[in-house]
């Protein structure tokens, strides 16, 4: 069955009515899931298997039948582990119907249908009894309900209900317990993801309500292993903040967990870095840890996983601390979230629970973490400032087309008589108006609250635009070419531009690079078997879902978090000239990437570089490649496009004798605002 869905096109800005299959949302969820990543997480799977065998063994030693309850079974892998370990029966609960159907097929393919019952319900809806979903209560509770924050997927209420209603009086739990850790740090890099820092070179100040705002309530999850030691200063040791014992009755009630410690150094406490461990057995000998790589000794192997990362929490405000000062860091927790507060030991303890922080300034709702980081990138701002000196002439009328940008300020300081800016949302419009008012520029910089194609001469006070500028950045953009919305806006504004209107950037160029990923390839790599169990059905499901929409061939990823090596030189494959309107005909580019380094080629990376003026260029992708190994440094404030090969290309050992290459064919459709792409590896 087909249905029509209305979606705003992020590139063209138009409303597209698309005919979609009724299973579109299902395919999207499968394609974006972490099932492949979890199945490739060997450390996780081995630790779960060891813990399950130990739990079944303890129940059998007591002379009892081993009846397992597996909540959130997914593929059914943990249930199959339990039966293989000797469990007598397993009830496997999966609320997502397509996954429940897949689990039934996987369990059947592995010969476990008689001992595993898949229940397609939420665990809180499951009943026990002769006519219920479960004939009897279980005595082994196996779960994988955790997210990066541990409790963000509703683990606590699910445990609480299951232990009260679905388990026997005494039970074993795998995992047995979880421990949450925290590290208090000062970090300008991380703090710049949360606060708009004053731009001293331009005397630009953020509004007071933005400075006092505690920020977004959602946790920032990130691959902390990719932070360098110079990115933060530790103001505490690694602190065990709180534990959850899953073998005892769990409570989902709100709680606070204060930890007292002495500060090891002077600094500004700004950020809490956090992760967790799970003990698979009561003795704590089988541990699966989420700790970042820089906490490991050099001899320890560091497991990689993307379905569980680490947490970055921002304190409501900076807190100056002195070496030796006695402090209290408190983790506040409800049934789904964790947040932190800091005070000195001498401070009178708060009598009531601190409320979960929420944004009241609008900025943390409008801008994401990378956008905050980009707006605080003063080196990049300085580059734009130098470029605008070539673009903005004294007395000109300037229009900025970007979301939440400092460019209107820079255009004003460069001598523009009047500056206008177009923001894509009412929230962004209101935010920028407050910013201009705080800096007493509301008369010099005007926010136009209209779509570009509905702009009238009256909106510009009868003037024409003599300088059109943009970063470009738009909050609706996911893939690099979605920011070509600037081009579509320029085209819609043609009647309002002077004949000699200066446009910056002049153009955008799309670049492509063939890469070998250290680990990211795992999220799209076939699983086949996992711990000896056939899970190849998942490979077909993920592949079909990824191919469901052609436009999803490239995926957005922040590659600064995912190390990779360049196997080819970067090639410019397409240029979009903003001095001319968007063409009616399609643009095509074909060619090949010669592989100049040895390694497994997992796919290609695509990004944009913008020619601000003849002299100045900015990249939203590759910044640097090391000469020998080809290690890549990526721009950290934008996501790059990644095209994964179905299977990696393994080039010949001697590239000089048997060169390998990747051929490409790219087509930009002006009507769709998308780039259709095809990459083929050639040995």
């Amino acid at each position: 069955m087909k249905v029509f869905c209305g979606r705003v096109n992020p590139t063209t800005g138009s409303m597209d009515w698309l005919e979609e299959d009724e299973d579109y949302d299902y395919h999207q969820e499968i394609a974006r899931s972490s099932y492949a990543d979890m199945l490739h997480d060997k450390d996780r799977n081995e630790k779960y298997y060891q813990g399950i065998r130990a739990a079944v063994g303890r129940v059998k030693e007591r002379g009892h039948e081993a009846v397992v309850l597996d909540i959130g079974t997914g593929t059914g892998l943990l249930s199959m582990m339990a039966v293989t370990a000797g469990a007598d029966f397993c009830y496997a609960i999966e609320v997502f119907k397509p996954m429940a159907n897949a689990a039934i097929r996987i369990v059947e393919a592995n010969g476990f249908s008689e001992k595993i019952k898949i229940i397609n319900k939420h665990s809180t809806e499951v009943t026990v009894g002769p006519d219920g979903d479960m004939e009897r209560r279980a005595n082994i509770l196996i779960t994988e309900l955790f997210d990066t924050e541990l409790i963000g997927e509703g683990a606590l209420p699910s445990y609480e209900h299951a232990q009260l209603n679905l388990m026997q009086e005494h039970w074993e739990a795998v995992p047995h317990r979880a421990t949450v850790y925290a590290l208090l740090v000062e970090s300008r890099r991380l703090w710049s993801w949360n606060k708009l820092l004053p731009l001293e070179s331009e005397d630009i100040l953020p509004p007071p309500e933005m400075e006092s705002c505690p920020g977004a309530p959602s946790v920032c999850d990130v691959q902390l292993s990719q932070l360098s030691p110079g990115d933060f200063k530790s103001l505490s040791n690694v602190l065990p903040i709180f534990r959850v014992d899953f073998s005892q009755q769990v409570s989902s009630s709100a709680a606070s967990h204060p930890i007292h410690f002495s500060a090891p150094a002077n600094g500004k406490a700004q950020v809490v870095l956090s992760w967790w461990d799970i003990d698979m057995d009561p003795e704590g000998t089988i541990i699966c840890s989420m700790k970042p790589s820089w906490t490991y000794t050099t001899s320890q192997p560091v497991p990689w996983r993307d379905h569980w990362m680490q947490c970055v929490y921002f304190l409501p405000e900076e807190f100056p601390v002195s070496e030796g000062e006695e402090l209290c860091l408190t983790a506040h927790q409800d049934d789904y979230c964790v947040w932190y507060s800091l005070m000195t030991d001498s401070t009178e303890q708060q009598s009531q629970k601190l409320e979960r922080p929420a944004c009241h300034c609008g900025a943390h709702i409008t801008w994401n973490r990378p956008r905050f980081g980009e707006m605080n990138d003063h080196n990049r701002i300085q580059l734009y400032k130098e470029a605008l000196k070539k673009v903005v002439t004294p007395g000109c009328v300037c229009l900025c087309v970007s979301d939440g940008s400092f460019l209107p300020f820079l255009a004003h300081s460069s001598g523009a008589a009047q500056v206008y800016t177009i923001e894509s949302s009412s929230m962004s419009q209101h935010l920028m108006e407050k910013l201009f008012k705080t800096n007493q520029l509301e008369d010099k910089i005007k926010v136009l609250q209209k779509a570009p194609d509905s702009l009238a001469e009256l909106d510009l006070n009868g003037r024409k635009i003599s300088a059109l500028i943009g970063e470009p950045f738009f909050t609706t953009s996911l893939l690099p070419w979605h920011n070509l919305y600037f081009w579509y806006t320029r085209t819609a504004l043609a009647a309002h531009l002077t004949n000699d209107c200066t446009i910056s950037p002049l153009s955008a160029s799309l670049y492509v690079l063939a890469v070998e990923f250290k680990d990211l390839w795992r999220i799209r790599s076939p699983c086949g078997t996992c711990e000896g169990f056939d899970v190849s059905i998942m490979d077909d499901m993920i592949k079909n879902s990824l191919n469901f929409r052609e436009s999803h061939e490239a995926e957005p990823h922040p590659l600064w978090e995912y190390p990779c090596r360049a196997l080819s030189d970067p090639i410019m494959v397409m240029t979009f000239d903003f001095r001319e309107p968007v063409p009616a005909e399609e643009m095509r580019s074909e060619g090949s990437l010669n592989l100049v380094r040895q390694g497994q080629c997992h796919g290609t990376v695509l990004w944009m570089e913008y020619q601000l003026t003849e002299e100045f260029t900015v990249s939203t992708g590759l910044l640097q490649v090391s000469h020998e190994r080809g290690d890549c440094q990526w721009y950290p404030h934008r996501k790059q496009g990644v095209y994964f090969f179905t299977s990696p290309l393994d080039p010949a050992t001697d590239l000089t004798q048997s060169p390998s290459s990747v051929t490409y064919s790219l087509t930009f459709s002006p009507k769709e605002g998308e780039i259709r792409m095809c990459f083929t590896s050639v040995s």
Side-chain angles (χ1 to χ4, degrees), residues 322-384:
S322 302
E323 182 179 355
E325 187 175 10
E326 296 300 317
L327 301 170
C328 179
L329 181 67
T330 302
H332 306 271
Q333 158 250 310
D334 58 21
D335 51 351
Y336 280 87
C337 301
V338 178
W339 62 97
Y340 286 86
S341 63
L342 181 67
M343 61 183 67
T344 63
D345 265 1
S346 60
T347 305
E348 184 178 350
Q349 297 294 312
Q350 297 178 359
S351 59
Q352 57 184 7
K353 183 179 74 71
L354 186 70
E355 290 299 319
R356 182 183 176 199
C359 174
H360 58 67
C361 73
H364 303 89
I365 300 171
T366 307
W367 303 328
N368 60 19
R369 307 296 190 191
R371 185 54 181 166
F372 268 99
E374 188 164 44
M375 293 183 73
N376 287 318
D377 186 343
H378 291 180
N379 291 331
R380 195 176 183 88
I381 291 172
Q382 188 62 32
L383 189 149
Y384 277 104

Side-chain angles (χ1 to χ4, degrees), residues 33-306:
S33 71
S34 296
Y35 290 118
D37 179 29
M38 288 188 286
L39 293 172
H40 278 294
D41 189 344
K42 188 172 179 61
D43 177 73
R44 161 197 177 270
N45 297 335
E46 287 180 346
K47 299 294 175 56
Y48 260 101
Y49 210 167
Q50 292 170 19
I52 289 170
R53 283 198 295 262
V56 171
R58 291 193 296 274
V59 170
K60 292 289 188 178
E61 286 175 3
R62 295 194 289 266
H64 299 157
E65 281 191 320
V67 182
V68 172
L69 175 62
D70 175 9
I71 302 178
T73 193
T75 62
L77 177 64
L78 302 185
S79 293
M80 294 189 293
M81 289 179 177
V83 172
T84 303
D88 295 283
F89 198 80
C90 184
Y91 297 101
I93 300 173
E94 175 55 52
V95 68
F96 185 35
K97 185 173 180 60
M99 274 310 307
N101 292 338
I104 291 172
R105 294 169 60 195
I106 291 171
V107 165
E108 182 178 352
N110 287 273
F112 294 111
S113 296
E114 293 185 1
K115 288 197 171 186
I116 298 176
K117 180 182 180 181
I118 306 297
I119 303 171
N120 178 212
K121 287 186 176 181
H122 193 282
S123 62
T124 57
E125 299 172 346
V126 170
T127 57
V128 180
D131 298 322
D133 303 299
M134 298 170 58
E135 293 181 357
R136 50 188 165 165
R137 290 179 177 239
N139 55 13
I140 299 177
L141 178 56
I142 300 173
T143 61
E144 205 279 58
L145 297 172
F146 315 118
D147 66 349
T148 294
E149 201 174 16
L150 182 70
I151 65 172
E153 291 186 359
L156 296 183
S158 295
Y159 268 108
E160 185 176 38
H161 176 272
Q163 292 167 344
L164 287 171
N165 299 281
L166 307 178
M167 303 303 297
Q168 298 175 19
E169 184 178 358
H170 300 288
W171 66 85
E172 300 284 345
V174 182
H176 183 80
R177 74 175 67 86
T179 305
V180 175
Y181 297 90
L183 176 65
L184 183 68
V185 303
E186 173 184 345
S187 173
R188 188 190 188 284
R189 177 177 180 179
L190 298 180
W191 193 240
S192 72
W193 295 354
N194 184 57
K195 296 288 186 181
L196 191 59
L197 306 180
L199 188 57
E200 296 175 358
S201 62
E202 295 297 316
D203 294 325
I204 301 175
L205 298 174
E209 60 265 40
M210 198 179 295
E211 290 190 276
S212 63
C213 183
S218 58
V219 67
C220 177
D221 54 350
V222 71
Q223 292 282 2
L224 281 182
S225 294
Q226 299 311 310
L227 286 183
S228 70
D231 285 328
F232 61 91
K233 179 182 182 180
S234 297
L235 298 178
S236 75
N237 296 322
V238 175
L239 306 169
I241 293 293
F242 67 90
R243 289 187 171 89
V244 183
D245 189 339
F246 301 121
S247 68
Q248 303 295 323
Q249 181 61 55
V250 167
S251 172
S252 61
S253 300
S256 294
H257 311 277
I259 295 292
H260 300 267
F261 66 99
S262 177
N266 299 325
K268 296 178 181 178
Q270 300 166 325
V271 177
V272 176
L273 309 181
S274 181
W275 57 88
W276 47 267
D277 291 347
I278 43 179
D279 297 334
M280 297 297 185
D281 62 330
E283 297 76 24
T285 59
I286 309 170
I287 302 174
C288 187
S289 178
M290 306 309 119
K291 63 184 182 180
S293 61
W294 33 264
T295 65
Y296 283 76
T297 63
T298 54
S299 60
Q300 290 179 291
V302 181
W304 183 86
R305 49 180 66 93
D306 201 47

Side-chain angles (χ1 to χ4, degrees), residues 400-458:
C400 175
V401 182
S402 277
D403 288 347
S405 176
F406 279 133
L407 291 194
F409 290 98
L410 302 182
H412 169 72
S413 65
S414 296
Q418 181 66 58
V419 180
Y420 298 97
T421 180
I422 294 178
E423 300 289 329
S424 65
S425 69
S426 58
M427 180 73 77
S428 183
Q429 291 164 4
H430 181 61
L431 194 59
M432 294 306 293
E433 285 174 342
K434 286 196 295 185
L435 196 54
F436 299 146
K437 186 175 182 179
T438 298
N439 291 274
Q440 300 178 341
L441 291 173
E442 63 267 37
D443 293 332
K444 296 294 184 180
I445 305 176
K446 297 286 188 181
V447 177
L448 299 175
Q449 300 184 1
K450 282 191 174 182
D453 56 2
S454 63
L455 206 64
E457 186 176 340
L458 185 62

Side-chain angles (χ1 to χ4, degrees), residues 403-675:
D403 288 347
S405 176
F406 279 133
L407 291 194
F409 290 98
L410 302 182
H412 169 72
S413 65
S414 296
Q418 181 66 58
V419 180
Y420 298 97
T421 180
I422 294 178
E423 300 289 329
S424 65
S425 69
S426 58
M427 180 73 77
S428 183
Q429 291 164 4
H430 181 61
L431 194 59
M432 294 306 293
E433 285 174 342
K434 286 196 295 185
L435 196 54
F436 299 146
K437 186 175 182 179
T438 298
N439 291 274
Q440 300 178 341
L441 291 173
E442 63 267 37
D443 293 332
K444 296 294 184 180
I445 305 176
K446 297 286 188 181
V447 177
L448 299 175
Q449 300 184 1
K450 282 191 174 182
D453 56 2
S454 63
L455 206 64
E457 186 176 340
L458 185 62
D459 298 313
L460 300 172
N461 295 322
R463 303 174 178 179
K464 284 189 176 289
I465 302 300
S466 50
L468 179 66
I469 62 175
E471 295 191 44
F473 167 83
F474 303 99
T475 56
T476 53
S477 299
L478 295 175
L479 290 160
W481 44 91
H482 289 167
N483 287 308
L484 289 176
Y485 176 66
F486 177 83
W487 199 14
Y488 287 81
T489 300
R490 174 258 181 270
T491 303
L493 293 170
H496 299 288
L497 307 181
T498 62
N499 292 333
D500 59 349
C501 178
T502 306
I503 296 177
S504 177
L506 304 171
S507 63
S509 295
L510 180 67
Y511 281 78
V512 177
L513 177 73
V515 300
E516 175 188 55
F517 286 109
K518 180 182 178 183
D519 294 298
L520 187 62
W521 60 272
R522 301 173 193 273
I523 69 172
R524 296 293 173 254
S525 180
C527 301
T529 60
C530 181
E531 297 300 316
F533 302 102
D534 181 5
V535 293
S536 57
I537 290 169
M538 285 304 303
D539 294 335
D540 295 335
M541 291 179 66
I542 293 172
K543 181 179 178 182
N544 291 339
S545 295
L546 287 171
N547 292 333
F548 190 67
R549 281 280 300 276
E550 191 173 36
S551 60
H552 293 151
E553 290 178 345
E555 308 172 19
H557 290 282
L559 291 187
W560 76 268
E561 295 185 53
Y562 304 105
C564 64
R565 295 174 54 241
L567 299 186
S568 72
D569 293 326
I571 291 182
M572 183 176 69
V573 294
M574 199 172 283
T575 296
F576 310 93
D577 189 349
F578 297 155
R579 291 166 294 189
E580 300 294 332
V582 176
E585 64 278 3
E586 292 184 337
M587 298 171 59
R588 293 184 175 84
S589 177
E590 296 181 348
S592 62
L593 300 166
N594 292 324
L595 303 187
V596 297
R597 293 184 183 89
Q598 297 173 18
Q600 282 201 331
C601 186
H602 296 116
T604 58
V605 179
L606 303 97
W607 70 95
M608 288 288 200
E609 292 191 5
Y610 294 97
Q611 191 77 36
L612 301 182
T613 66
E614 296 294 344
E615 299 91 344
F616 298 103
T617 302
V618 294
S619 174
T620 63
L622 188 67
L623 299 180
Q624 187 176 337
V625 177
S626 66
H627 179 67
E628 291 187 8
R629 278 184 41 84
D631 293 325
C632 298
Q633 180 185 348
W634 297 97
Y635 181 61
H637 306 310
R638 300 279 183 103
K639 291 183 179 181
Q640 292 73 41
V642 179
Y643 181 101
F644 290 100
F645 293 158
T646 304
S647 57
L649 168 65
D650 199 354
T653 304
D654 187 352
L655 291 172
T656 60
Q657 295 183 15
S658 179
S660 299
S661 63
V662 175
T663 63
Y664 62 83
S665 175
L666 297 103
T667 302
F668 172 68
S669 168
K671 182 179 179 180
E672 299 171 358
E674 287 290 350
I675 296 178

